[in-house]
Amino acid sequence: MRMTVIGTGYVGTVHAACMADIGHQVLGIDIDAERIASLSAGRAPIHEDGLDELLARTVASGRLRFSTSLAEGAAFAGTHFMCVGTPQRPDSKAADLRYVDSVVDGLAPHLRPGTLIVGKSTVPVGTAARLAERLADMTPGTEVAWNPEFLREGSAVEDTMRPERLVVGVTSQHAEAVLRAIYAPMIAAGVPFFCTDPATAELVKVAANSFLATKISFINAMAEVCDAAGADASVLARAIGADSRIGPRFLAPGLGFGGSCFPKDIRAFAARAEEIGAGEAVAFLHEVDRINTRQRQRTVERARRLLGGSFTGRRIAVLGAAFKPGSDDVRDSPALVVAAALHQQGAEVRVHDPEAVDNARAVHPELTYALDVDKACEDADLVLHLTDWPEYQDIDPAALATLVRSPVLLDARNRLDPRSWAAAGWAVHAPGRPRLSPPVPSQAKVAALAGGAS
Ligand SMILES: NC(=O)c1ccc[n+]([C@@H]2O[C@H](COP(=O)([O-])OP(=O)(O)OC[C@H]3O[C@@H](n4cnc5c(N)ncnc54)[C@H](O)[C@@H]3O)[C@@H](O)[C@H]2O)c1
Ligand SMILES: O=c1ccn([C@@H]2O[C@H](COP(=O)(O)OP(=O)(O)O[C@H]3O[C@H](CO)[C@@H](O)[C@H](O)[C@H]3O)[C@@H](O)[C@H]2O)c(=O)[nH]1
């Protein structure tokens, strides 16, 4: 089938390439001419596992092309996926819908009757209906459906090719048939296909993100209680997660969530619920947000305490800048927020990240960036683990201990093995975990050593 994918960011690039890979003819459209030139040459604008190969393959096959022209898009296909950004508004917590509106206004003069616009962006409930009304005046016979996207950065290609479910909100059997045909290979492979109205589809997306964000803030709230009680939140998380009704995923006590989705989506959902008279029902999301923000502040404060109350003249190695491992995205990255706060409060901060340094430098040029972990940690008074890249689990703590000024680790993501770090001489701190110190030799061993015995 022929389709356009409008907005070639994280979602649009991956959606366009995956749709082309399953056999569709796809035209990717963006207002960013540089991005379109790079995509046309088969180069992905973002770091995503498998995306470079997929783009190269689908562009070479001729099934995927790119353009900056909505008019060309309207002439090319009768189905248009809309994947533009819906960031938080600068003046409130609501979603900024200017990009969505501008796509619809830009397409409208060129549309032919019977066109289907399919929103993939995350939007406030009621957006599809509002856009349909707007289009009805300009181009009668155009339908607006919603097909929210659930991919995760870092596994975006895999999530698109093998989603856990597909959700479409439509107002006609025609739209359902078109979307079933587009996703036929996934449906044939057994992926559940939920077909509903647009409002429900829009809400499924923000409800899913709110649930996941709540789960993360819940365990971080428990970690705060564990810190106060001297209990172990990691054991608590594993023990409650063993209950199949709760489940172990998204239950890691740590630095909390960031990125371009959870923070702005829960705020926009709360703002929209307020507008439609259901604000009380989701008032808990404000608390979820507050708990999450507090983890960043708590990490800065804990670092300050570990350094004796002041950052002045102290060197801190920061491991991680991306908002999560597997991605080069630093939008609302907890790691970068903490690193910038430490720098701003007087620490000398050196940041390492396997993929996100260029993006981090563009936002925080004032920070120092290191190309490898050893360089970041040289002469450090404190090592802060802020993004749980798998490669950080391969660090040899004994070797690293010889580089730092003081072997103190604050594992804000609770992912490094505390015992092996402590055994290598590190004082290990983590949210919701009793402190682990380097092993102290037993009295017998001390006496034996003092007596010169081996
Ligand atoms: N990033 C994710 O992991 C993810 C996952 C699921 C859903 N979402 C949602 O999907 C939407 C897109 O997110 P993203 O992260 O891909 O955004 P993004 O900022 O990476 O990409 C948006 C793209 O849209 C382009 N654009 C803006 N206005 C345009 C216009 N008028 N015409 C054509 N192109 C235009 C921009 O130039 C940009 O390339 C958001 O609503 C987001 O909440 C994101
Ligand atoms: O136990 C956990 C799990 C995750 N996180 C953090 O939560 C954030 C989001 O992680 P993740 O959900 O893996 O990444 P995203 O790419 O933001 O994906 C979320 O947001 C997307 C955009 O809406 C949705 O499509 C996805 O389904 C949803 O998982 C990151 O900062 C993670 O570090 C935690 O703090 N603790």
Side-chain angles (χ1 to χ4, degrees):
M1 292 182 73
R2 281 170 170 253
M3 64 193 67
T4 72
V5 174
I6 304 168
T8 54
Y10 281 83
V11 170
T13 301
V14 173
H15 187 66
C18 290
M19 291 301 102
D21 205 43
I22 60 173
H24 301 303
Q25 296 288 331
V26 184
L27 181 67
I29 300 176
D30 206 288
I31 42 171
D32 183 338
E34 217 174 287
R35 175 163 289 204
I36 288 301
S38 148
L39 283 164
S40 301
R43 279 193 308 274
I46 51 167
H47 171 80
E48 262 313 318
D49 212 20
L51 184 58
D52 285 334
E53 300 78 4
L54 186 62
L55 260 183
R57 187 165 72 231
T58 47
V59 169
S61 75
R63 288 197 302 277
L64 179 58
R65 291 190 302 114
F66 294 93
S67 166
T68 52
S69 165
L70 285 174
E72 184 185 344
F76 175 77
T79 303
H80 306 283
F81 283 97
M82 189 163 47
C83 304
V84 293
T86 49
Q88 188 176 320
R89 283 173 63 111
D91 56 344
S92 77
K93 293 190 171 177
D96 187 344
L97 296 175
R98 79 176 83 166
Y99 305 107
V100 169
D101 290 349
S102 79
V103 168
V104 166
D105 291 347
L107 272 176
H110 310 290
L111 293 179
R112 27 182 163 135
T115 294
L116 178 61
I117 296 181
V118 187
K120 287 195 83 60
S121 305
T122 305
V123 290
V125 60
T127 300
R130 181 178 65 77
L131 295 176
E133 218 168 278
R134 194 172 172 126
L135 277 166
D137 299 336
M138 299 190 261
T139 56
T142 296
E143 178 171 348
V144 180
W146 223 262
N147 166 216
E149 178 55 63
F150 299 100
L151 67 77
R152 295 159 299 170
E153 290 185 23
S155 53
V157 173
E158 176 66 19
D159 289 349
T160 305
M161 289 303 208
R162 275 169 280 279
E164 291 196 340
R165 82 296 213 181
L166 289 160
V167 177
V168 301
V170 297
T171 55
S172 75
Q173 286 181 346
H174 166 72
E176 178 179 350
V178 168
L179 288 162
R180 278 188 184 276
I182 288 172
Y183 291 119
M186 284 88 174
I187 296 169
V191 173
F193 184 85
F194 294 92
C195 186
T196 179
D197 56 86
T200 306
E202 290 164 335
L203 275 175
V204 169
K205 173 66 198 179
V206 287
N209 277 5
S210 297
F211 188 85
L212 292 169
T214 302
K215 210 172 170 192
I216 297 170
S217 276
F218 174 83
I219 199 62
N220 284 333
M222 293 307 108
E224 290 185 36
V225 177
C226 284
D227 273 337
D232 191 327
S234 291
V235 175
L236 180 145
R238 283 203 301 279
I240 64 171
D243 183 329
S244 62
R245 293 168 302 174
I246 297 173
R249 298 177 68 191
F250 276 65
L251 210 55
L255 183 53
F257 56 81
S260 68
C261 294
F262 285 172
K264 63 110 176 150
D265 287 350
I266 61 170
R267 289 172 198 150
F269 184 20
R272 181 61 181 149
E274 193 78 45
E275 277 172 18
I276 60 174
E280 272 301 303
V282 293
F284 70 94
L285 290 175
H286 298 298
E287 195 52 38
V288 167
D289 197 9
R290 269 196 293 273
I291 293 168
N292 191 55
T293 305
R294 199 158 65 226
Q295 304 319 308
R296 303 169 185 197
Q297 295 151 356
R298 279 168 55 84
T299 303
V300 172
E301 284 319 307
R302 193 156 190 175
R304 190 198 309 281
R305 278 201 309 279
L306 291 173
L307 292 172
S310 166
F311 291 124
T312 311
R314 309 309 288 272
R315 184 173 283 185
I316 300 178
V318 163
L319 302 185
F323 85 103
K324 66 178 283 193
S327 170
D328 61 352
D329 196 346
V330 297
R331 290 179 286 182
D332 200 358
S333 165
L336 214 45
V337 169
V338 168
L342 295 169
H343 169 84
Q344 205 253 331
Q345 293 177 41
E348 189 197 318
V349 180
R350 281 202 207 154
V351 182
H352 173 266
D353 190 283
E355 295 291 344
V357 165
D358 289 346
N359 286 344
R361 204 195 304 274
V363 190
H364 285 293
E366 77 279 14
L367 300 176
T368 303
Y369 295 91
L371 286 179
D372 58 50
V373 170
D374 285 0
K375 281 268 173 308
C377 293
E378 245 169 36
D379 294 327
D381 297 295
L382 173 67
V383 173
L384 225 56
H385 177 231
L386 299 184
T387 309
D388 41 342
W389 284 95
E391 37 269 72
Y392 293 149
Q393 288 176 27
D394 298 333
I395 292 173
D396 175 357
L400 203 65
T402 64
L403 295 178
V404 296
R405 205 180 285 159
S406 176
V408 183
L409 171 72
L410 174 49
D411 178 10
R413 286 288 176 188
N414 244 314
R415 281 295 168 89
L416 302 175
D417 175 20
R419 281 175 213 297
S420 65
W421 282 72
W426 290 76
V428 183
H429 304 261
R433 251 189 217 261
R435 177 190 164 173
L436 215 55
S437 304
V440 179
S442 69
Q443 283 309 311
K445 199 165 177 189
V446 172
L449 287 172
S454 61

